[in-house]
Amino acid sequence: MSTPISTLLFAEAQTLLPGGVNSPVRAFNSVGGTPRFISHGQGAYFWDEDGNRYLDYVGSWGPLIHGHAPAFVHDAVRAQLDKGTSYGAPTRLEVEMARAVIEAVPSIEMVRMVNSGTEAVMGALRVARGFTGRRKIIKFAGCYHGHADGLLVQAGSGALTLGIPDSAGVTPAQTQDTISANYNDIEGTRALIRELGHELACVAVEPLPANMGLVKPKAGFLEMLREETEQTGALLLFDEVMTGFRLAKGGFQEVVGITPDLTTLGKIIGGGFPVGAYGGRRDIMSCVAPAGPVYQAGTLSGNPIAMTAGLVTINALNADSYARLEALGARLEKGFERILSDLRIEAQFQRWGSMWTLFFNPNPVESFADAKQSDTKKFGQFFHAMLERGVYLPPAQFEAAFLSLAHTEDEVDMTLQAARESLETLT
Ligand code: KE4
């Protein structure tokens, strides 16, 4: 596949933007090669500047559950554009969006809109500390909650080990109240929560982690988090920036029947525009300014364009949407299982609904430690073999791929054919 224009653009971009990109994963660093500079998208596909067409499994990292450029979203945004883009004053649209989120996610009794998932998690953790008057936060190795300083801690520190920064520019003071535990480690996490006791403000978790690749909760793990936080008076935050409106209208918490105290959302609720949200129990959210003492603000928070795109996006989702995504996902999974068996390849296809990861790993991946055992070199070979065949996967082993409602059985079957050919070429 020839990509001279992407190559030229990347060379120039690297002189103007750190790494040539505005978000690290886009630079292809973990798979190598030249990132494709995308010119336009339509449905399940997008095209690079050289005119090459790709079947897209990134979907802007989750927001595009209806695929690229859905007419009904763009028509609604066009109509709103004629009224203006932002007023810096309250609008009816923000009331409608808040009502839609609250109706969809029962654990959210009150919500605040922001402009990214990072901001949503920042706000949620600040109100958790403000509400409880406590300082310590537990997060889990391999789970990503955006780039706020306090969350960039090294994986795997124990109870009394102060969070150690995992990024330059983050000081020990900013991470000392964050402890990293191990996802799916039921007894270790239970002990950690009990050890921290009344110092613990919040346990933050991706209930269905997708930022180490897709890892499923072991039976009892999320239930333990709910029980133990209730016992100690800490709050449970489900970071559903990725899974919110992706797996069910009420998010993964609806699927597993667990009620967190706080939830963060993003991606799909913006319909492709910058958005985030945090919400939860009314007594907690009533602490957020100007109703209460926990300050948080944002120039474009709840702006009419993102609210319009997000509202029509989520209003178009219903039980049939998720049944459709499950049927497509199941077809893809069955096909991959057959190919892996035929070719005797040691890899794990892990999926929930429309989210999936192919781990090049001989064993099931149940934790970050497991994930790190994966053969990332082999993933890189697979990624490029698929790219050459016109299938654009997330350019990193530790990410999840996304089916959209614009994908059909034909796209799934084309993906499986490309995968069989690609896996046959692996050395
Ligand atoms: P943003 O600040 O990127 O909008 O959201 C941060 C975030 C928070 N919580 C979860 C569970 C997330 O998955 C994310 C962001 N997801 C990544 C995908 N792995 C965004 C892609 C990127 O960083 O470019």
Side-chain angles (χ1 to χ4, degrees), residues 145-391:
H145 304 288
H147 62 86
D149 291 330
L151 290 165
L152 297 179
V153 292
Q154 280 182 22
S157 52
L160 299 180
T161 311
L162 300 184
I164 301 160
D166 197 21
S167 164
V170 175
T171 66
Q174 291 170 308
T175 57
Q176 64 184 5
D177 289 323
T178 309
I179 292 99
S180 180
N182 296 313
Y183 186 85
N184 272 335
D185 173 6
I186 295 178
E187 292 319 317
T189 307
R190 188 197 308 277
L192 178 58
I193 293 172
R194 292 182 177 180
E195 196 160 359
L196 289 169
H198 290 177
E199 283 190 271
L200 184 60
C202 184
V203 173
V205 67
E206 285 183 73
L208 179 73
N211 285 291
M212 54 177 127
L214 191 95
V215 170
K216 298 179 182 180
K218 276 182 184 168
F221 177 69
L222 296 175
E223 292 78 0
M224 175 278 298
L225 293 182
R226 181 63 288 178
E227 286 155 24
E228 293 297 329
T229 48
E230 240 152 36
Q231 281 296 320
T232 191
L235 301 183
L236 178 59
L237 163 61
F238 272 11
D239 181 353
E240 297 220 45
V241 165
M242 192 109 75
T243 54
F245 293 90
R246 166 60 59 177
L247 303 169
K249 198 105 182 196
F252 195 60
Q253 55 194 267
E254 175 187 309
V255 175
V256 293
I258 293 175
T259 303
D261 302 299
L262 289 165
T263 298
T264 44
L265 299 170
K267 297 181 190 275
I268 289 173
I269 65 166
F273 285 84
V275 76
Y278 64 102
R281 284 170 26 198
R282 184 177 297 279
D283 58 337
I284 300 171
M285 291 303 293
S286 299
C287 296
V288 178
V294 177
Y295 193 71
Q296 182 269 310
T299 302
L300 289 169
S301 295
N303 73 80
I305 303 299
M307 295 300 98
T308 297
L311 263 171
V312 294
T313 293
I314 62 177
N315 288 342
L317 295 171
N318 54 42
D320 292 345
S321 316
Y322 298 107
R324 174 75 182 140
L325 290 168
E326 174 52 33
L328 290 170
R331 186 185 183 101
L332 191 70
E333 179 170 1
K334 190 158 171 269
F336 263 102
E337 295 299 356
R338 186 175 313 120
I339 295 165
L340 295 175
S341 163
D342 290 352
L343 302 182
R344 292 187 177 70
I345 288 178
E346 292 194 321
Q348 310 296 322
F349 187 92
Q350 300 189 184
R351 174 184 74 88
W352 202 300
S354 56
M355 297 171 67
W356 58 275
T357 299
L358 182 66
F359 286 102
F360 285 86
N361 194 313
N363 307 303
V365 177
E366 299 179 336
S367 69
F368 187 47
D370 293 347
K372 287 191 294 186
Q373 300 303 313
S374 304
D375 184 336
T376 54
K377 183 170 173 294
K378 196 158 279 188
F379 177 85
Q381 289 175 4
F382 177 64
F383 171 84
H384 281 287
M386 292 289 272
L387 197 64
E388 282 300 309
R389 290 169 174 80
V391 180

